[in-house]
Amino acid sequence: MRKIHVRVAMVYIVIAIIFLIVRSFIVPPSFGEYGWYRGDSVSEIMNLSVKHAGSYSCSNCHQTEYKAWTTGKHSTVNCESCHGPLKYHVDDPGGSKVEVNATREFCGLCHNENPSRPEGFPQINLESHGNGFTCVTCHNPHYPWFD
Amino acid sequence: MKSTRREFIKNFGKIIPVVFFGLSFKKFIETVSAKENASTHHPGGDYDWNQHYYAFVVDSTKCIGCGRCVVACKEENDVPKEPFYFRTWVERYVWLNGEEEVKVDSPNGGFNGFPVIYDEKEIRKSYYVPKLCNQCDRPPCVQVCPVGATYKTNDGVVLVDEKYCIGCRYCIQACPYGARYLYPKHGEREPRRNTADKCTWCYHRITKGLKPACVEVCPVGARKFGDLKNPDDEINRILDENRVDVLKPEAGTRPKVFYLGIDGAEVR
Amino acid sequence: MSELLWQALQQVQGYVYPNEIEVNWSILIVFYPYITGLVAGAFIVASLERVFKVEAVKPTYRLALLTALAFLLAAPLPLVAHLGHPERALEIMFTPHLSSAMAGFGFVYAWYLLIVLLLEIGYDYRKDVVKWARTKRGLKGFLYRLLTMGDYDISKEALKKDEKLVGIITVIGLPSAAFLHGYVGFIFGSVKANPWWSSPLMPIIFLFSAMVSGIALVLLIYMASTKLRGKKLDMKCTDTLAGYLLYTYVLDLSLEFMEIAHLVYVQEEGIDAILTLINDRLFLSFIVIQIFLGTIVPIFLLVMAKTGLFRATIRKIFYIFAALLAMIGVLAMRWNVVIGGQMLSKSFRGFSTYILPIFGIEGLLTAVAIFILPFVLLFIFVKVLPPWEEPPIWESTEHQAVEGNGEG
C-alpha cells in the first residue's frame, strides 16, 4: 500500500466517522419510531389547540337559544358557522366577548340568490328583499321562518 | 516499529468499515422493524390510531358556496388570511349556454362567498366543489419528501412535521391537487414559518373525537367526515349507498376524499 | 414578497388552484440544474481524452477538470439558499428518505466530489504538486506540501500507477457524471402531477443539454484563457471540441423534438394547456431563445464551420457565437422546465405568472452572484494548479531548485 493511498483513505475515514458522530447527535431520538419520520411530531400535532368548541358546549349557558335552534330550520347550522370559533369563550365565558356579524351581506352569504346554489335552497334577492332592513329585524336567526 | 504501525493502520482500516456498515445496518433494521412496532404501540394517550381509518365525503349537490368552511379552516389552523394560502377552498363550476368549455373560479378561495357574475338565464349548469387535501393512500407528497418531514399516520392522515421540514417545496410540486402551500414568513404560527403546510383533516380535533372544523361549520351537510373502521359511522352508509368519484383517479394516488354529484371528467 | 404575490394574482390567466399563485421554485432552482449540468458537461469533456483517447482535446483536460470542480462547489448554493430552513439542510444526509429522488442529492454530490473529482484531480496533479512542494516557499509552498500528504514518491513506477488510477477513476466518473445530472432530470421527470415535467426522457434530455452547455463552457474558457495568456490557440483542439458540441447538439435537439412530438401526439389530458404554454406563455424563452437562438442557430454555425470553407479566424468567431448561444439556450431550457412547469396550473385550466424579483435572497442578483462564484473559484484554482500544457515556470528553475531543496 502506498503512503498516499493510506493517507487519502484516512482522511475519508475521518470524514465518515465525524459524519456518523454528528448524525447520532442531530437525528431526533424519536425519528423512526413509527416510520421514516419524527415520531414525536404526531403527538405534537394532536396537541394543537382546538378553536371550534362545537354547538353542544353552548347549551349550558344559552339554553333558550339552544332549544329554539335545535327545533328550527337552522338546526343544521352550527353555532360557530355564524358566531365564529368560540372555544376561547367557552373556556372563559365572563372574560371574553363574542362579536356577531348581523349585516344583510352576512346572511346573503347563504341566502342571496345565486344560480350556482342547489335548486330548492331558500334564496332571496338581497337587493329587492326587505327594504334594506337588517334580516334579524324580521327573522330570528335561531328559529327562522320563511315561506 | 514501522511494521507494527503499518499493521495497526491495516487493522484499523478493516475495523472502520465494519463499524460503519454495522451502525447503518442497525439503523436500517430499526427503521424497518419500526413499521411492525407501530401496529402495537401508538403515540399520545388514550387515542389508538390503529382503531381508526378515516374518510371524507363531499356532497357537491348540497354545497351552497357560503365559504364558512374556508373561514373556519383558516381560524382553526392559523392559516394566513391572504388569498394565496388555503388548506381548503371552494370552486365554482359554470357551463354557459352555447359554450363547450366550463368556467371555473374561486375568488379568494371562496372565503368571502361567491359574487353573482352570471345571469340565471345564461347558465346551463352550475355547482360548487369544495376542495381539500385528499389524504391519498398513495401520497406522492410523502414519496418525494427528501427528509421524512411528511408522512402518513396509521389512521390514514398525511401530516407535516413543522420542526423537521426543510422547506424545499418538492411536496408542493408533487401534489396533483394543489393542496399544499408554503407557510409564509409572516404567518401567525411562528414554528410553522417557511415550511410546507396542508390540510390535516384537523388531526388535533379528530383524534379527540371531534369533527374537522370545516365539517363542523358546514350549514348544509355538504361535508361529511367519518371512520371507516367504525361500522356505525354514517360515512359507511353514504359510501355504500352512493356512486362516488375521486379527483384525478388517473394519478394513481388513491384519494380518501370522495365526491358526490360532480362531473368526474370536468372537475379536477 | 407578499407584494409580488398580489401582482401575480392580478396576472393569473384562466383558473389556477389558489395555492398555485405563488411560484415556489424560483430563479435559484433554474440555476441549480444549470450549474450541475455544466459540471457534468465539463467532466465529460475531460473524460474524452482519458477514456475515449481523443488526443486532440488534451490541452483542455485539466482545465475541464478544474472547471467541473469550481462549478460543483457552487452547485449546492442555490439549493441551500432557496430552502425555507437552510439550517436543516443536512437532514437530507442524516435521514435521507430513500423513496425521494431529491434525497439522493447529498450522497450523489459527496460521491462525485470526494471519490471522483478530488481524487482524479489529486492523482493527476500529484507529480506537479510534489515538484511545486519542493520548490515553492511561503504560503503557497505550505499549501503544496499539504497537498502532497507527505508522499513525495514520484518515481517512474509510482507515476505509472497514478496514471492507471486516474484512468480507473475517470471510468467510474463518467457514469457518475451522467448520474449526477440525469438524477436532476429525474427530480422533474418523476413528478406525475405535472404533464410538462413528467417524462421518462427528462433525465436524458437534461444530460444531453448538460453536455452541450459543458462543452460550450470549456470551449469558451479555453479560448478566453488562451487569449488572456497571449498564447496561440490550438486550432485542432478547438475544432474537435466544436465537433463534439455539434454532435451532442444534434442528439439534444432530436431528444427535445421526440419529447414534444410525444406530448403533442398522444394528446393526454392537459395538452391544450401545454400548447398554450408553448405558443403563448413561453413563446419568447422556448421558441425564440431555446429552440431558435439556442439550438438552430448554433447548429447552423457549427455545421458551417465544419464545411471547411472558412479560415481559422472566421471559425473562431463562429465558435464563440455558437458556444455563447449554447450557454444561453441551455439556461433558457432550464428556465422553461422549472418556471414553465410551475406556470402551468395542475388544474390544466390556467397559468400563474412568475415575477422575478431583482433583490432579496431569491432574486436575480443572488442567482447571478452564485453563477459568478465558480468563475472566481476557477481563477483561484488555475493560479494554484496551473492546468496549462506548456512547461510551467518551475521546470525552467527545476535544476537549480532541486539541488538546493533536496528534501523528500
Side-chain angles (χ1 to χ4, degrees):
Chain A
M1 203 60 154
R2 281 165 60 195
K3 218 197 230 170
I4 180 80
H5 297 332
V6 174
R7 299 255 163 107
V8 169
M10 290 293 273
V11 170
Y12 283 3
I13 288 167
V14 168
I15 292 175
I17 291 173
I18 292 174
F19 172 79
L20 284 178
I21 292 172
V22 175
R23 182 187 186 277
S24 67
F25 278 107
I26 288 188
V27 173
S30 77
F31 197 95
E33 205 177 341
Y34 311 110
W36 199 259
Y37 56 93
R38 202 171 55 89
D40 287 350
S41 107
V42 182
S43 45
E44 282 166 25
I45 292 172
M46 282 166 72
N47 291 332
L48 289 175
S49 61
V50 166
K51 292 179 186 159
H52 287 81
S55 299
Y56 185 69
S57 46
C58 308
S59 61
N60 249 347
C61 309
H62 305 278
Q63 283 164 5
T64 328
E65 288 85 354
Y66 190 81
K67 213 172 159 203
W69 167 72
T70 48
T71 52
K73 294 227 169 186
H74 266 174
S75 64
T76 60
V77 187
N78 275 315
C79 306
E80 285 159 314
S81 306
C82 303
H83 293 280
L86 290 175
K87 184 74 166 58
Y88 73 98
H89 177 68
V90 175
D91 290 343
D92 180 19
S96 58
K97 257 192 99 78
V98 177
E99 304 275 333
V100 67
N101 187 346
T103 61
R104 290 170 61 81
E105 286 67 33
F106 188 70
C107 299
L109 281 177
C110 293
H111 294 293
N112 189 24
E113 243 170 24
N114 193 325
S116 302
R117 298 203 215 274
E119 206 108 352
F121 183 79
Q123 299 166 60
I124 49 93
N125 187 329
L126 207 58
E127 269 161 42
S128 58
H129 180 92
N131 294 325
F133 286 105
T134 57
C135 310
V136 293
T137 319
C138 306
H139 306 271
N140 176 0
H142 298 119
Y143 193 79
W145 59 267
F146 47 82
D147 307 321
Chain B
M1 165 78 195
K2 207 165 188 184
S3 72
T4 49
R5 202 182 110 190
R6 183 167 296 171
E7 236 155 63
F8 171 72
I9 291 171
K10 242 183 178 171
N11 287 333
F12 194 62
K14 274 181 201 158
I15 292 165
I16 291 302
V18 171
V19 173
F20 181 91
F21 282 114
L23 281 177
S24 39
F25 190 67
K26 188 166 163 267
K27 185 81 198 168
F28 177 73
I29 292 293
E30 277 171 8
T31 328
V32 170
S33 55
K35 281 202 175 128
E36 289 155 29
N37 254 343
S39 59
T40 53
H41 93 233
H42 51 83
D46 301 333
Y47 178 77
D48 181 357
W49 66 357
N50 297 308
Q51 304 300 315
H52 305 273
Y53 207 74
Y54 298 110
F56 201 106
V57 170
V58 175
D59 188 346
S60 174
T61 61
K62 286 186 182 156
C63 180
I64 56 171
C66 64
R68 302 315 297 157
C69 49
V70 182
V71 176
C73 172
K74 288 205 172 196
E75 295 276 359
E76 181 74 30
N77 297 297
D78 300 317
V79 178
K81 299 280 164 39
E82 287 97 334
F84 323 112
Y85 315 108
F86 294 90
R87 283 182 171 208
T88 185
W89 67 99
V90 181
E91 293 171 355
R92 168 166 59 185
Y93 284 70
V94 182
W95 285 262
L96 294 177
N97 288 326
E99 277 184 37
E100 203 187 324
E101 276 295 302
V102 56
K103 288 194 158 33
V104 185
D105 71 337
S106 181
N108 194 6
F111 187 90
N112 317 102
F114 286 80
V116 180
I117 46 175
Y118 300 110
D119 189 72
E120 176 133 32
K121 293 183 200 85
E122 300 173 272
I123 295 178
R124 253 194 303 150
K125 175 160 83 170
S126 179
Y127 51 79
Y128 297 103
V129 181
K131 293 278 189 82
L132 67 161
C133 173
N134 286 289
Q135 316 289 358
C136 306
D137 249 356
R138 283 194 187 152
C141 52
V142 172
Q143 187 185 30
V144 302
C145 176
V147 298
T150 186
Y151 53 91
K152 204 178 92 186
T153 58
N154 283 23
D155 40 15
V157 182
V158 175
L159 300 177
V160 183
D161 180 353
E162 61 187 18
K163 286 193 190 150
Y164 211 66
C165 172
I166 59 176
C168 74
R169 297 165 241 187
Y170 200 8
C171 55
I172 300 176
Q173 308 291 355
C175 175
Y177 307 101
R180 286 176 172 249
Y181 66 95
L182 190 81
Y183 198 80
K185 290 174 192 55
H186 58 266
E188 214 177 312
R189 188 174 163 75
E190 206 257 312
R192 195 180 288 157
R193 288 177 190 167
N194 282 331
T195 63
D197 190 42
K198 67 180 277 292
C199 162
T200 63
W201 280 353
C202 287
Y203 200 67
H204 59 296
R205 297 175 60 89
I206 60 176
T207 50
K208 296 183 181 80
L210 302 166
K211 297 276 178 196
C214 59
V215 177
E216 181 72 32
V217 302
C218 181
V220 292
R223 290 173 178 253
K224 302 278 186 204
F225 174 81
D227 184 355
L228 297 173
K229 283 193 177 171
N230 176 5
D232 299 331
D233 199 309
E234 184 197 10
I235 201 98
N236 289 302
R237 190 187 53 76
I238 298 174
L239 289 174
D240 288 348
E241 289 175 0
N242 292 283
R243 297 159 195 204
V244 291
D245 266 313
V246 293
L247 300 178
K248 298 192 179 180
E250 73 281 2
T253 51
R254 301 201 174 166
K256 290 201 296 284
V257 175
F258 300 95
Y259 283 84
L260 292 176
I262 59 168
D263 295 87
E266 293 289 355
V267 175
R268 51 185 179 239
Chain C
M1 192 63 218
S2 205
E3 192 52 44
L4 288 180
L5 284 176
W6 284 101
Q7 280 181 41
L9 180 65
Q10 300 306 311
Q11 295 176 28
V12 165
Q13 180 187 334
Y15 176 69
V16 307
Y17 296 133
N19 286 334
E20 284 181 329
I21 289 156
E22 180 169 11
V23 168
N24 272 290
W25 281 354
S26 63
I27 181 85
L28 292 178
I29 305 299
V30 174
F31 270 87
Y32 159 66
Y34 189 52
I35 292 176
T36 44
L38 292 170
V39 176
F43 187 83
I44 288 165
V45 174
S47 41
L48 278 178
E49 193 260 333
R50 282 275 168 191
V51 181
F52 303 109
K53 310 287 179 227
V54 184
E55 288 300 321
V57 300
K58 198 157 200 304
T60 62
Y61 169 67
R62 285 180 160 185
L63 189 60
L65 278 185
L66 294 184
T67 307
L69 180 63
F71 278 85
L72 188 67
L73 290 177
L77 288 180
L79 282 187
V80 175
H82 169 262
L83 288 183
H85 283 272
E87 78 282 4
R88 299 176 186 168
L90 278 178
E91 284 172 11
I92 210 165
M93 298 195 75
F94 291 143
T95 58
H97 189 221
L98 295 181
S99 70
S100 166
M102 202 183 269
F105 175 77
F107 296 98
V108 175
Y109 184 84
W111 166 267
Y112 192 72
L113 177 67
L114 297 173
I115 307 297
V116 176
L117 260 188
L118 285 183
L119 287 191
E120 174 152 356
I121 292 173
Y123 279 101
D124 186 73
Y125 269 98
R126 219 174 72 77
K127 176 178 140 204
D128 301 328
V129 166
V130 168
K131 284 181 178 167
W132 291 325
R134 283 178 177 155
T135 51
K136 301 270 189 207
R137 295 175 178 285
L139 192 67
K140 228 172 162 185
F142 175 73
L143 183 67
Y144 289 130
R145 282 190 283 283
L146 204 66
L147 286 175
T148 61
M149 303 190 101
D151 188 341
Y152 286 79
D153 180 10
I154 47 169
S155 61
K156 246 198 183 117
E157 210 181 316
L159 290 181
K160 218 174 147 190
K161 281 183 184 160
D162 284 349
E163 185 79 359
K164 213 173 151 192
L165 190 64
V166 173
I168 295 171
I169 297 171
T170 320
V171 172
I172 301 171
L174 202 55
S176 305
F179 189 70
L180 174 74
H181 200 64
Y183 131 90
V184 177
F186 188 76
I187 286 185
F188 295 95
S190 63
V191 176
K192 63 184 171 191
N194 191 324
W196 183 236
W197 288 349
S198 173
S199 160
L201 274 183
M202 208 53 133
I204 307 177
I205 292 180
F206 262 68
L207 187 59
F208 276 91
S209 55
M211 282 162 65
V212 167
S213 63
I215 297 172
L217 177 70
V218 173
L219 188 61
L220 279 177
I221 291 180
Y222 176 60
M223 290 172 89
S225 60
T226 322
K227 180 97 188 159
L228 286 176
R229 294 184 313 127
K231 303 283 173 189
K232 198 171 168 298
L233 193 66
D234 181 341
M235 215 47 210
K236 191 161 174 251
C237 170
T238 319
D239 282 333
T240 315
L241 266 186
Y244 280 102
L245 181 58
L246 176 62
Y247 306 144
T248 40
Y249 238 138
V250 171
L251 280 169
D252 183 39
L253 180 65
S254 15
L255 283 167
E256 190 78 45
F257 175 76
M258 271 163 66
E259 165 82 16
I260 299 292
H262 180 81
L263 269 175
V264 174
Y265 192 82
V266 298
Q267 301 191 10
E268 284 186 348
E269 192 175 30
I271 182 61
D272 296 324
I274 286 180
L275 289 178
T276 313
L277 185 73
I278 294 173
N279 294 324
D280 180 18
R281 301 305 296 250
L282 292 180
F283 183 78
L284 183 67
S285 61
F286 187 69
I287 308 274
V288 178
I289 299 181
Q290 186 189 331
I291 300 294
F292 183 71
L293 286 178
T295 310
I296 312 252
V297 173
I299 286 181
F300 176 75
L301 287 174
L302 292 169
V303 169
M304 291 312 281
K306 255 216 159 355
T307 54
L309 297 172
F310 299 94
R311 282 179 293 128
T313 38
I314 308 284
R315 288 209 307 277
K316 237 160 64 179
I317 295 170
F318 278 6
Y319 294 156
I320 291 173
F321 273 98
L324 276 175
L325 285 176
M327 298 283 294
I328 295 168
V330 173
L331 180 60
M333 182 267 184
R334 309 299 191 230
W335 172 279
N336 292 328
V337 170
V338 176
I339 303 297
Q342 295 176 91
M343 282 180 169
L344 176 69
S345 166
K346 287 177 238 169
S347 70
F348 312 141
R349 290 210 156 86
F351 302 91
S352 316
T353 301
Y354 175 57
I355 299 168
L356 174 60
I358 305 293
F359 304 101
I361 189 84
E362 294 202 27
L364 180 65
L365 290 181
T366 317
V368 171
I370 287 174
F371 188 65
I372 290 174
L373 180 73
F375 290 99
V376 177
L377 288 177
L378 181 62
F379 181 77
I380 296 168
F381 292 161
V382 166
K383 286 279 166 222
V384 178
L385 303 168
W388 321 120
E389 270 291 299
E390 62 266 18
I393 308 149
W394 58 261
E395 273 189 4
S396 51
T397 52
E398 184 180 24
H399 301 293
Q400 311 128 30
V402 167
E403 308 249 303
N405 288 351
E407 59 172 299

